[in-house]
């Protein structure tokens, strides 16, 4: 029997990451956390910049940590705002998550757990380049 995934524990990691966000312009702190197929947990927070367009989303930091610590595939993901509420990744970050987790990556969303394929249907990813 497979144990149920502990979404609360993963969300707690995202909430902790959110406390490190640098958001002096929007005041919209974001934290993200994910599990990797080898059991690791990676996280990230948003980092803004006075040149607004070059801000880094929390998902960018998370994916950077994924590759920095050995790569692999994301299996479960959650993102929270400064009020510790689950939020959806933006379009750019949905593509980033698809690239690193594929269509079966599970996301905790505002409307329940969904696969990446449901969140970003008909996506183009690395498997399409074969």
């Amino acid at each position: 029997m497979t144990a149920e995934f502990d979404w609360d524990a993963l969300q707690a990691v995202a909430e902790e990451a959110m406390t490190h966000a640098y958001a002096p312009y929007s005041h919209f702190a974001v934290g993200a956390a994910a599990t990797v197929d080898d059991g690791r947990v990676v996280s990230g927070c948003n980092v803004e910049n006075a040149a607004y367009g070059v801000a880094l989303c929390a998902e960018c930091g998370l994916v950077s940590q994924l590759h920095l610590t050995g790569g692999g595939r994301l299996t479960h993901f959650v993102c929270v705002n400064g009020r510790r509420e689950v939020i959806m990744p933006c379009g750019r970050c949905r593509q980033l998550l698809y690239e690193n987790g594929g269509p079966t990556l599970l996301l905790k969303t505002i409307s329940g757990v969904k696969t990446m394929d449901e969140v970003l249907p008909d996506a183009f990813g690395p498997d399409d380049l074969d």
Side-chain angles (χ1 to χ4, degrees):
M1 182 172 161
T2 303
E4 188 170 323
F5 185 76
D6 189 349
W7 285 103
D8 291 338
L10 188 62
Q11 185 170 334
V13 174
E15 291 171 3
E16 167 60 22
M18 175 273 301
T19 69
H20 300 282
Y22 177 71
Y25 307 106
S26 72
H27 306 288
F28 191 76
V30 177
T35 58
V36 184
D37 57 4
D38 65 4
R40 282 178 294 137
V41 174
V42 291
S43 62
C45 63
N46 61 321
V47 178
E48 295 181 347
N49 187 294
Y52 299 132
V54 296
L56 297 174
C57 296
E59 297 89 336
C60 294
L62 180 148
V63 168
S64 181
Q65 188 181 66
L66 169 71
H67 290 280
L68 179 67
T69 61
R73 299 291 278 177
L74 301 175
T75 61
H76 299 78
F77 171 88
V78 65
C79 192
V80 299
N81 64 20
R83 293 187 302 264
R84 301 178 187 276
E85 300 165 329
V86 172
I87 59 173
M88 291 296 291
C90 69
R92 177 184 86 157
C93 290
R94 291 179 195 194
Q95 180 62 41
L96 186 67
L97 292 169
Y98 187 93
E99 183 84 12
N100 291 278
T104 61
L105 169 62
L106 295 173
L107 288 80
K108 184 176 182 180
T109 76
I110 59 174
S111 57
V113 176
K114 296 183 181 281
T115 64
M116 193 72 240
D117 205 27
E118 292 174 286
V119 173
L120 189 64
D122 303 320
F124 177 86
D127 295 336
D128 296 306
L129 299 176
D130 289 340

